[in-house]
């Protein structure tokens, strides 16, 4: 038996960027292991921390003893800690910040416990004569006691009382007589406890699906040498069925599985499909998402950690679910940018999933109708295996995509830019046939700016360098970046003329325009403003599904993974919005968006039709999407990226220097660039510091430095070294984003 540890190396939950050693007092030695949570003295206070190593000796000076162990057992496995170390190095982020992401706050702090409720069981011995006497004197007590005596195991007091229609007073009287025992026990708060799930069984797969599942099966048999699998399947090709059957195979091996989905598609519909398929034991499926209460999150997490749950479905951070004996990680819609966390640690859950799979020797299955350039590129390089589903299961044809040239429409009439004549006619035809329409615009609000026609000034946010958006329902101007709102001025505050005009339009205006053109139709809008409550979101989806809404107008909220069989028309009001972003992924986003949105049309009996309104009808991403030509699009996009040294053939690191003093931000950015240039040498491309496209955000002036190169881990290390040696003034902040998705 190995000797009990004498010291623990601890990462405390504070930004001190180093590990500290503590002595383990005699009585605690058996209870401490890697991953244990502790309370330790730090300076003149105490702090919480996580054990990353146990030691027999230490040469750290002035080692102090641990105060207490928090919780019953370690809450981070060595494998998850190793994953955390990788994230820390790769994403250039201090480990204590990474640990914050590895564990939900409610678990880390250990303040919330299980919900305690009373359980009933009969006392050990009940004299027969007392029972008889009770029957005469207190018939209700006797009735309850009889029910209790039939129990083979303790039951919840509330359940028992409900079943017998007896009250708490009766139960307490029995307890007082010593005839029953009441004990507190833990119960799980299950957010889905009151829902019924329709049980489903495995479907008979078509030929392409059989091949795809075979790939997963082979990988599960030899996970150590298996490569990540990219399942490229058009929308409706039955990818989810592959996930479900793949998970079944993993469970049959006695293993566990994680399914990552983008938060936005973590709908009741998705959860139902997984709960329904594994309904033989409802407890084995845990769901992690941002709408859980702290208590529910605590319970789901411990259900996973204790091994009771074997399948976890969740958004980004579920990649850290503490499952043991992992067999399979599925990443659905792997191209989704919401997998990237936009605050430190700025990790990408898909890439973390691939690394976790490697560390824990499990299989990783990435799925998408529009794979990211990165993942697809990895299949052409042989790092990932490509698996394809080219047909829709229902054998419906892909929807017909029609391009509407807005340059021609705009010559006819300005209002045609919102709803062209062709799209108008198509919507009208759907209304007559009682079929449904989705109209899509990636911009919320009513008008996107308020301009003065005299002096040309637009109303800008005082904190950010963007125009304020007019929201008609609030009758206010609002900044979509910082939330600042302002009253609508009567006259131009700059020149004093009464010449203000609204320009640009968002979903609110589309909704209003469509309602005016089709007064008989039920039109509803759905965007982040109107959908702040999750019930509102569910209500609209339910009404739409049951046919109570004819036309749904919305932002990307409605572009993702929803099935509406009666939708036969999708209109994309302006396909150019993404294209004009100052971002090398603009073309990729447009292609993905068009393809995903088109996938919403014609999933039922009738095949669908998609209208794409654009001022740039010949841009490659629009043309390739129109012809459902993924590989054509991939070829030309890859060529463009390689020509400019952008990902996927190179890695990028975006550094942002910001300060409320513009000169200080600029000066610090220039200093930083000089140091980086010295430290990085010729192996990496170091860009010039430039004002960010969004040059002011929330009162802070921002400068960007873009780094590029092949050896990303070396690059991250050198960036960290440079930053550690460079003191910045207190009011200058520097952030590092490895493999960035937001370039604004
Ligand atoms: P995807 O995830 O690729 O969009 P889904 O898995 O949601 O596709 O499949 C679309 C529809 O087809 C679902 O209703 C699903 O139940 C059904 N389906 C999938 N595979 C089969 C199959 N082999 N036989 C019959 N129906 C299937
Ligand atoms: Zn703002």
């Amino acid at each position: 038996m190995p000797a009990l540890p004498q010291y623990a190396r601890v990462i405390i939950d504070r930004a001190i960027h180093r590990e500290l050693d503590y002595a383990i007092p005699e009585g605690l030695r058996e209870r401490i292991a890697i991953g244990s949570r502790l309370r330790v003295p730090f300076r003149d206070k105490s702090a919480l921390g996580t054990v990353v190593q146990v030691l027999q000796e230490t040469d750290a000076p002035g080692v102090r003893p641990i105060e207490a162990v928090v919780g019953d057992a370690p809450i981070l496995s060595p494998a998850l800690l190793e994953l955390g170390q990788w994230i820390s190095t790769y994403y250039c982020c201090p480990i204590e910040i990474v640990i914050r992401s590895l564990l939900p706050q409610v678990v880390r702090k250990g303040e919330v416990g299980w919900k305690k409720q009373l359980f009933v069981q009969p006392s050990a011995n009940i004299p027969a004569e007392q029972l008889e006497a009770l029957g005469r004197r207190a018939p209700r007590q006797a009735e309850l006691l009889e029910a209790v005596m039939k129990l083979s195991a303790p039951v919840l007091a509330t359940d028992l009382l409900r079943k017998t229609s007896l009250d708490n007073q009766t139960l307490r009287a029995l307890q007082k007589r010593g005839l029953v025992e009441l004990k507190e026990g833990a119960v799980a708060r299950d957010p889905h406890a009151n829902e019924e799930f329709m049980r489903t069984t495995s479907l008979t797969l078509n030929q392409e699906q059989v091949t795809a599942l075979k790939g997963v099966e082979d990988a599960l048999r030899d996970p150590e040498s298996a490569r990540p699998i990219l399942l490229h399947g058009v929308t409706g090709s039955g990818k989810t069925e592959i996930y479900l059957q793949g998970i079944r195979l993993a469970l049959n091996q006695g293993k566990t599985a994680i399914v990552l989905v983008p938060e936005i598609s973590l709908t009741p519909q998705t959860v139902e499909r997984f709960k329904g398929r594994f309904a033989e034991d409802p407890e084995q499926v845990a769901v992690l998402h941002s709408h859980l209460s702290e208590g529910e999150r605590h319970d789901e997490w411990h259900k996973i950690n204790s091994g009771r749950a074997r399948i976890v479905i969740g958004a980004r951070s579920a990649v850290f679910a503490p499952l043991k004996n992992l067999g399979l990680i599925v990443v659905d819609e792997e191209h989704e940018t919401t997998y990237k966390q936009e605050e430190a640690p700025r990790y990408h859950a898909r890439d973390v999933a691939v690394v976790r799979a490697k560390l824990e020797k499990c299989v990783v299955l990435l799925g998408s109708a529009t794979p990211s350039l990165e993942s697809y590129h990895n299949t052409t390089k042989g790092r990932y295996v490509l698996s394809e589903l080219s047909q829709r299961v229902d054998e419906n044809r892909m929807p017909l995509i029609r391009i509407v040239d807005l340059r021609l429409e705009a010559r006819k009439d300005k209002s045609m830019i919102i709803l062209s004549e062709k799209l108008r006619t198509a919507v009208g035809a759907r209304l007559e046939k009682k079929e449904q329409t989705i109209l899509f615009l990636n911009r919320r609000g009513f008008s996107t700016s308020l301009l003065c026609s005299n002096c040309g000034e637009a109303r800008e946010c005082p904190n950010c360098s963007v125009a304020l958006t007019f929201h008609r329902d609030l009758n206010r101007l609002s900044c979509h970046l910082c939330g600042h709102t302002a009253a609508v001025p009567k006259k131009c505050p700059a020149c004093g003329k009464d010449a203000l005009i609204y320009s640009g339009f968002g979903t609110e205006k589309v909704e209003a325009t469509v309602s005016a053109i089709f007064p008989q139709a039920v039109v509803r809008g759905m965007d982040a403003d109107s959908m702040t409550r999750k019930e509102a979101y569910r209500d609209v989806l339910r009404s739409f599904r049951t046919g109570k809404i004819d036309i749904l107008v919305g932002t990307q909220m409605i572009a993702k993974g929803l099935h509406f069989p009666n939708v036969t028309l999708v209109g994309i009001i302006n396909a150019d919005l993404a294209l004009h972003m100052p971002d090398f992924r603009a073309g990729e986003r447009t292609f993905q968006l068009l393809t995903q949105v088109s996938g919403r049309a014609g999933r039922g009996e009738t095949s669908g039709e998609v209208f794409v309104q654009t001022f740039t009808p010949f841009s490659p991403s629009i043309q390739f999407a129109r012809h459902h030509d993924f590989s054509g699009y991939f070829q030309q996009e890859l060529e463009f990226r390689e020509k400019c040294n952008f990902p996927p053939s190179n890695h990028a690191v975006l550094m942002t220097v910001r300060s409320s003093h513009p000169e200080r931000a600029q000066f610090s950015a220039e200093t930083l660039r000089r140091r980086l240039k010295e430290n990085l040498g010729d192996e990496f491309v170091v860009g010039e510091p430039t004002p960010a496209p969004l040059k002011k955000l929330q009162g802070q002036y921002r400068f960007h430095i873009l780094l590029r190169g092949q050896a990303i881990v070396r690059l991250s290390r050198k960036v960290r070294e440079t930053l550690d040696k460079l003191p910045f003034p207190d009011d200058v902040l520097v952030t590092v984003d490895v493999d960035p998705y937001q370039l604004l």
Side-chain angles (χ1 to χ4, degrees):
M1 221 183 94
L4 289 172
Q6 307 289 310
Y7 300 95
R9 187 153 288 168
V10 176
I11 291 172
I12 64 169
D13 298 0
R14 308 252 177 119
I16 57 166
H17 300 349
R18 64 198 162 87
E19 297 158 347
L20 299 171
D21 290 354
Y22 289 91
I24 310 178
E26 194 77 53
L28 295 182
R29 293 199 180 136
E30 261 127 15
R31 291 182 51 203
I32 290 180
I34 289 177
S36 294
R37 291 282 288 171
L38 306 174
R39 180 165 288 289
V40 293
F42 177 65
R43 299 198 180 126
D44 54 353
K45 295 202 185 72
S46 71
L48 290 171
T50 312
V51 178
V52 290
Q53 226 179 317
V54 288
L55 312 159
Q56 290 305 333
E57 46 195 69
T58 173
D59 44 22
V63 168
R64 296 201 272 168
I66 287 162
E67 288 171 5
V69 181
V70 179
D72 309 328
I75 56 176
L76 268 180
S77 65
L80 275 174
L81 266 175
E82 196 180 345
L83 185 65
Q85 303 281 10
W86 178 85
I87 292 174
S88 169
T89 311
Y90 186 96
Y91 292 104
C92 206
C93 176
I95 183 75
E96 59 268 21
I97 295 178
V98 176
I99 285 183
R100 239 186 272 160
S101 276
L102 291 179
L103 292 168
Q105 183 175 339
V106 58
V107 173
R108 229 168 46 230
K109 295 248 160 89
E111 284 159 4
V112 176
W114 293 94
K115 190 163 134 196
K116 293 276 168 56
Q117 287 194 336
L118 284 179
F119 286 80
V120 193
Q121 64 187 79
S123 299
N125 43 23
I126 301 171
E129 55 282 18
Q130 203 173 344
L131 219 136
E132 218 168 288
L134 195 64
R136 274 175 271 121
R137 270 181 297 137
R140 279 190 305 171
Q141 287 179 37
E143 188 190 339
L144 185 57
L145 184 59
E146 214 170 298
V148 175
M149 285 169 72
K150 280 193 204 132
L151 298 173
S152 51
V155 297
L156 267 179
T158 47
D159 285 352
L160 180 74
L161 293 176
R162 192 174 338 106
K163 274 201 206 107
T164 54
S165 310
L166 291 164
D167 57 18
N168 199 29
Q169 228 175 341
T170 316
L171 181 64
R172 291 290 174 179
L174 284 177
Q175 184 194 21
K176 230 186 246 156
R177 289 178 197 273
L179 297 173
V180 302
E181 276 174 34
L182 294 180
K183 271 200 198 126
E184 275 207 325
V187 289
R189 286 154 284 218
D190 181 351
H192 299 281
N194 299 321
E195 293 165 43
E196 282 282 322
F197 296 99
M198 225 211 329
R199 290 182 81 138
T200 64
T201 48
S202 293
L203 300 171
T204 309
L205 301 180
N206 64 33
Q207 200 46 53
E208 283 189 323
Q209 285 176 313
V210 168
T211 310
L213 187 65
K214 173 94 178 16
V216 178
E217 195 175 1
D218 290 346
L220 280 168
R221 209 170 294 126
D222 182 13
E224 214 159 322
S225 53
R227 288 170 288 164
I229 303 169
L230 175 64
L231 180 60
H232 175 205
V234 298
T235 37
S237 59
K239 295 186 289 297
T240 312
E241 189 60 31
I242 303 298
Y243 307 156
L244 291 165
Q245 298 198 21
I247 294 168
R248 179 62 78 194
L249 292 173
L251 291 191
N252 289 347
Q253 290 186 333
K255 294 188 174 165
T256 62
I258 296 177
V259 184
L260 298 182
V261 295
E263 176 80 41
I264 198 151
S265 54
L266 199 53
T267 55
Q269 229 181 133
T270 310
V271 173
E272 198 173 336
R273 285 183 87 175
F274 287 86
K275 286 253 185 191
R277 183 60 62 87
F278 300 100
E280 73 271 8
D281 172 10
E283 282 240 308
Q284 74 181 331
V285 183
V287 182
L288 295 174
H289 58 74
S290 62
H291 289 307
L292 294 181
S293 69
E294 288 289 86
E296 287 170 346
R297 194 182 309 281
H298 166 275
D299 294 359
E300 292 288 279
W301 193 91
H302 282 282
K303 211 163 90 186
I304 300 164
N305 199 39
S306 66
R308 257 193 299 148
R310 301 206 291 154
I311 303 165
V312 175
I313 311 171
R316 190 195 317 151
S317 62
V319 70
F320 304 122
L323 283 169
K324 285 162 200 108
N325 205 6
L326 256 180
L328 178 64
I329 308 180
V330 172
V331 185
D332 188 27
E333 311 278 1
E334 66 87 27
H335 65 280
E336 267 297 318
T337 52
T338 53
Y339 283 127
K340 171 83 171 171
Q341 176 153 293
E342 290 301 345
E343 58 191 67
R346 294 181 168 75
Y347 69 92
H348 195 299
R350 173 199 60 218
D351 299 337
V352 171
V354 169
V355 174
R356 181 165 184 194
K358 198 156 114 200
L359 291 174
E360 303 202 25
K361 302 189 177 46
C362 89
V363 176
V364 64
L365 175 61
L366 315 175
S368 175
T370 51
S372 64
L373 226 61
E374 282 80 358
S375 295
Y376 203 81
H377 185 244
N378 276 329
T379 66
T380 63
K381 293 277 169 202
R383 290 190 280 259
Y384 294 180
V385 183
L386 181 64
S387 178
E388 286 180 300
L389 301 177
S390 61
Q391 305 292 325
R392 289 170 86 155
V393 170
D394 50 17
E395 287 177 354
N396 266 347
R397 271 172 299 122
M398 295 303 282
L400 198 60
I401 300 187
R402 303 182 190 280
I403 309 285
V404 179
D405 188 343
L406 284 179
R407 293 171 305 181
L408 304 178
E409 297 286 326
R411 270 180 229 149
K412 294 183 214 156
D413 175 353
K414 265 251 172 119
S415 77
M416 294 294 181
I417 293 177
I418 297 182
L419 211 59
S420 63
E421 216 169 292
K422 287 179 187 142
L423 184 51
R424 232 173 256 216
T425 312
V427 173
R430 290 324 183 282
L431 288 173
E432 255 164 44
K433 286 193 278 182
K434 299 252 174 295
E435 293 173 359
Q436 291 171 299
T437 298
I438 296 181
L439 297 177
F440 178 85
L441 179 67
N442 219 355
R443 202 157 57 182
R444 45 207 184 87
F446 194 82
S447 295
T448 46
S449 57
L450 184 60
L451 287 171
C452 174
S453 59
N454 182 51
C455 71
E457 281 272 308
R459 287 289 91 216
E460 265 205 7
C461 173
N463 311 317
C464 312
S465 50
V466 292
L468 294 171
T469 299
F470 173 58
H471 287 254
R472 197 168 68 168
D473 54 348
L474 306 171
N475 194 27
R476 281 184 85 79
L477 299 170
S478 126
C479 172
H480 287 177
L481 295 174
C482 73
H484 171 86
T485 70
V488 182
K490 291 254 170 347
K491 293 184 177 137
C492 173
C495 71
K497 276 265 164 45
D498 184 7
L500 293 175
I501 49 166
Y502 292 99
S503 86
F505 58 90
T507 46
E508 259 186 50
K509 181 142 181 193
V510 174
E511 200 185 324
T513 309
V514 174
S515 297
I517 299 174
F518 301 106
Q520 77 279 23
V522 182
V523 184
R524 282 296 298 274
M526 186 152 134
D527 60 32
D529 297 310
S530 52
M531 294 297 132
T532 42
R533 293 179 312 118
K534 71 169 165 173
E535 304 90 66
Y537 177 73
R538 288 184 184 186
D539 287 349
V540 172
L541 287 186
R542 194 173 305 125
S543 312
F544 192 57
R545 191 186 316 284
T546 53
K548 294 199 188 90
I549 297 172
D550 300 309
I551 303 170
L552 188 62
V553 180
T555 55
Q556 68 240 45
M557 278 187 108
I558 57 176
K560 304 283 148 59
L562 301 168
H563 303 241
F564 301 112
N566 200 32
V567 174
T568 57
L569 174 65
V570 168
I572 295 165
I573 303 294
N574 185 341
D576 306 332
L577 283 180
L579 275 179
H580 298 312
M581 294 285 244
D583 181 340
F584 66 86
R585 285 197 182 84
E588 181 177 9
R589 290 206 176 129
T590 303
F591 179 85
Q592 289 170 347
L593 193 70
L594 295 192
T595 309
Q596 294 283 344
V597 172
S598 316
R600 300 304 123 227
R603 294 184 65 125
E605 309 283 290
T606 28
S607 64
E609 211 178 7
V610 178
F611 282 79
V612 178
Q613 305 194 126
T614 171
F615 283 101
T616 55
F618 298 108
S619 79
S621 33
I622 290 178
Q623 284 299 327
F624 284 119
R626 176 187 183 190
H627 294 108
H628 310 288
D629 181 2
F630 181 85
S631 61
Y633 144 79
F634 172 78
Q635 281 311 329
Q636 76 89 32
E637 183 68 26
L638 189 68
E639 251 166 55
F640 154 73
R641 300 278 186 91
E642 278 176 346
K643 209 163 62 202
C644 311
N645 286 321
F646 279 130
S649 40
N650 258 293
H651 282 278
V653 174
L654 181 68
M655 303 191 69
T656 305
V657 181
R658 58 186 215 267
S659 167
S660 48
H661 302 278
E663 312 78 38
R664 248 185 287 198
Q666 179 167 8
F667 179 77
S668 300
E670 278 160 4
T671 314
L672 175 60
R673 139 100 194 182
R674 259 199 317 279
R675 288 298 169 79
L676 286 168
K677 201 82 193 133
E678 288 160 20
N679 283 0
L680 299 185
D682 293 336
E683 188 184 352
F684 302 103
V685 183
V686 182
E688 290 293 332
T690 49
L694 194 60
K695 62 181 192 290
K696 187 179 171 201
L697 177 64
Q698 299 180 340
Q700 303 255 319
Y701 294 85
R702 308 160 75 246
F703 284 80
H704 275 347
I705 299 174
L706 191 67
L707 315 173
R708 274 168 292 166
Q710 300 272 348
I712 183 63
V713 173
R714 192 154 58 235
L715 178 54
S716 287
R717 281 222 173 88
K718 291 196 166 188
V719 167
R720 170 58 49 210
E721 280 164 26
T722 311
L723 287 176
D724 284 347
K725 276 189 252 155
L726 199 62
F728 291 101
D730 278 346
D731 57 354
V732 174
L733 288 167
V734 180
T735 53
V736 185
D737 191 354
V738 176
D739 299 339
Y741 279 74
Q742 278 284 4
L743 299 177
L744 291 180

